[in-house]
Amino acid sequence: MTDLVQGQVGAYEAEKNTLPTIEELHDGGYIDTVTCPDKKPLLIDSNGVVTVSSEE
C-alpha cells in the first residue's frame, strides 16, 4: 500500500511542483483512501516519504 501511495506522491509532485499531504492526494483523486486495509492511517513526512501510522 505504501508503495502505491509513494508513486502517487511522485506524480503529484511532478504535476504541482510541491509535496502533497495525504489529504491533498485523496482530495485530488490520486488515492481512494487515507488508511491501509487494517485501518491504520497513512502519513507523508516532510521529505515526501509515505509511512503507516502505528495508531489506528
Side-chain angles (χ1 to χ4, degrees), residues 14-15 17 19 24 31 34 36 40 47-50 52 56:
E15 265 185 47
N17 233 12
L19 288 171
E24 288 170 329
I31 57 175
V34 297
C36 285
K40 290 185 179 178
N47 295 315
V49 177
V50 178
V52 178
E56 286 187 38

Side-chain angles (χ1 to χ4, degrees), residues 32-48:
D32 294 330
T33 183
V34 297
T35 60
C36 285
D38 63 3
K39 305 296 183 208
K40 290 185 179 178
L42 292 162
L43 306 171
I44 301 173
D45 72 14
S46 61
N47 295 315

Side-chain angles (χ1 to χ4, degrees), residues 3 5 11 13 19 22 25 30 37 42-43 45 47 52 54-55:
D3 289 342
V5 177
E13 185 177 17
L19 288 171
I22 198 73
L25 284 183
Y30 289 82
L42 292 162
L43 306 171
D45 72 14
N47 295 315
V52 178
S54 58
E55 299 177 13

Side-chain angles (χ1 to χ4, degrees), residues 4 6 15 17 19 26-28 39 47 51 53:
L4 171 72
Q6 191 67 62
E15 265 185 47
N17 233 12
L19 288 171
H26 183 259
D27 293 347
K39 305 296 183 208
N47 295 315
T51 58
S53 175

